[in-house]
């Protein structure tokens, strides 16, 4: 499978890219730091036993939508047909920090909602023009319910999840399979230093689950899987309970 991957340099993206490379998928990496991208490309080549230079890269920043089309042009030139686009890139800030700093709040809202949606729109156009494919995007359980610690980040992810659901309904019959990944709390750089809730997961376990979902075209996948049941309960809690609890 030929995969365009935004966000493979760290965390869950790195774990998933390693699995895809190891099984022989051809990857084209997008990200905002050229040196990081090159390091990740060489790491993936080594893990796949592939020739040096076989994993190509291009710069792409979620906060700069004008760069999306040129980045996809380079990916198409390198891969030929694109079978799948994976987006694990995202930005989080603690709620207290975001309330203090409107500039950071704007960056989180733009990266996780409008930037990601516009990137997906470019992916949609390319995949549909090629006859179909899979778009797999990391949203979050934070988008499933308005909650005190993730008001702004959660709002961006709620919008993203809603967009991905609509996109799947609209275009599945045309060959576009949309996979919305909703991680719970996973130990990565993004969550370093945050208090750990029960059911915290590891990036490798998430990657295993997402690889399966990517192949099957599962529309929504909670990862680790237990979060599906946790969020079923959280979504059912009445508002007066949500107002009292701290999570
Ligand atoms: N960890 C969790 O508990 C958790 C829970 C729910 C949802 N999620 C979501 O899952 C996804 C992956 O999270 P993670 O924990 O693996 O995060 P991570 O380790 O912090 O990695 C985030 C990735 O996003 C990239 N990125 C950030 N801002 C970007 C921008 N403006 N343009 C392009 N790339 C950008 C980073 O690249 P740089 O190296 O350039 O910064 C990095 O590769 C994110 O969408 C996150 O919101 C995470």
């Amino acid at each position: 499978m030929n995969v365009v991957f935004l966000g493979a340099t760290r965390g869950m993206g790195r774990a998933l890219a390693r699995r895809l490379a190891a099984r022989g998928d051809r990857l084209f990496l997008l990200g905002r730091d050229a040196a990081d991208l090159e390091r990740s490309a060489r790491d993936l080549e080594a893990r796949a036993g592939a020739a040096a230079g076989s994993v190509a890269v291009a710069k792409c920043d979620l906060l700069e939508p004008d760069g999306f089309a040129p980045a996809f042009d380079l990916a198409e030139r390198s891969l030929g047909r694109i079978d799948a686009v994976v987006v694990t890139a995202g930005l989080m800030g603690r709620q207290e920090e975001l309330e203090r700093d409107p500039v950071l709040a704007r960056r989180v809202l733009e990266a996780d909602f409008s930037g990601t949606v516009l990137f997906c729109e470019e992916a949609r156009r390319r995949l549909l023009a090629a006859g179909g494919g899979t778009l797999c995007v990391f949203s979050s359980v934070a988008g499933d319910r308005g909650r005190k610690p993730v008001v702004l980040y959660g709002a961006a992810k709620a919008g993203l999840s809603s967009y991905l659901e609509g996109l799947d309904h609209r275009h599945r019959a045309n060959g576009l399979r949309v996979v919305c990944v909703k991680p719970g709390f996973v130990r990565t750089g993004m969550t370093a230093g945050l208090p750990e809730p029960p059911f915290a997961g590891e990036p490798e376990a998430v990657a295993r689950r997402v690889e399966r979902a990517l192949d099957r075209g599962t529309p929504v996948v909670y990862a680790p899987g237990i979060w599906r049941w946790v969020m079923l309960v959280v979504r059912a809690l009445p508002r007066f309970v949500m107002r009292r609890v701290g999570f």
Side-chain angles (χ1 to χ4, degrees):
M1 186 160 71
N2 294 344
V3 185
V4 176
F5 204 126
L6 175 60
T9 53
R10 291 202 272 136
M12 288 182 267
R14 178 163 55 196
L16 179 58
R18 285 177 173 174
R19 286 192 75 83
L20 300 182
R23 72 180 196 179
D25 287 347
R26 289 179 63 217
L27 302 183
F28 188 92
L29 307 187
L30 298 177
R32 56 184 175 170
D33 184 303
D36 256 5
L37 284 170
E38 289 298 340
R39 246 193 315 277
S40 299
R42 301 297 84 80
D43 167 71
L44 294 172
E45 286 161 0
R47 283 163 190 276
S54 56
V55 176
V57 307
K59 281 191 77 169
C60 182
D61 187 327
L62 278 174
L63 299 175
E64 295 172 11
D66 289 349
F68 298 164
F72 272 99
D73 288 343
L74 290 171
E76 280 176 344
R77 223 168 291 152
S78 167
L79 293 175
R81 187 194 151 82
I82 298 171
D83 301 303
V85 177
V86 177
V87 185
T88 57
L91 188 62
M92 196 188 71
R94 300 176 76 137
Q95 179 61 23
E96 297 74 20
E97 236 184 313
L98 298 177
E99 286 180 359
R100 266 197 312 269
D101 184 349
V103 175
L104 180 61
R106 183 177 171 170
R107 279 179 48 216
V108 167
L109 293 170
E110 284 184 2
D112 291 340
F113 181 64
S114 56
T116 302
V117 167
L118 292 172
F119 182 86
C120 291
E121 283 294 282
E122 193 59 46
R124 168 187 64 75
R125 277 189 283 278
R126 309 276 173 153
L127 290 170
L128 286 173
T134 305
L135 175 61
C136 172
V137 184
F138 278 49
S139 183
S140 174
V141 296
D144 273 15
R145 185 85 205 253
R147 292 189 288 120
K148 288 178 185 173
V150 285
V151 177
L152 287 155
Y153 171 75
K157 292 293 196 180
L160 177 60
S161 297
S162 171
Y163 161 77
L164 293 170
E165 181 181 355
L167 193 65
D168 191 59
H169 293 326
R170 185 170 170 84
H171 287 297
R172 188 154 285 238
N174 304 326
L176 180 69
R177 308 189 307 172
V178 181
V179 176
C180 173
V181 181
K182 296 183 177 180
F185 188 101
V186 181
R187 296 184 189 101
T188 67
M190 185 174 278
T191 52
L194 295 179
E196 268 196 22
F199 316 120
E202 297 296 338
E204 291 72 23
V206 171
R208 263 197 307 279
R209 203 169 155 78
V210 175
E211 180 187 357
R212 229 178 9 250
L214 186 62
D215 290 339
R216 292 180 183 166
T218 315
V220 178
V221 52
Y222 287 86
I226 180 79
W227 284 89
R228 177 176 174 197
W229 307 111
V230 173
M231 295 315 293
L232 195 68
V233 172
V234 171
R235 280 200 308 275
L237 291 174
R239 283 182 85 103
F240 76 88
V241 174
M242 290 303 290
R243 220 171 265 140
R244 277 186 205 154
V245 294
F247 62 80

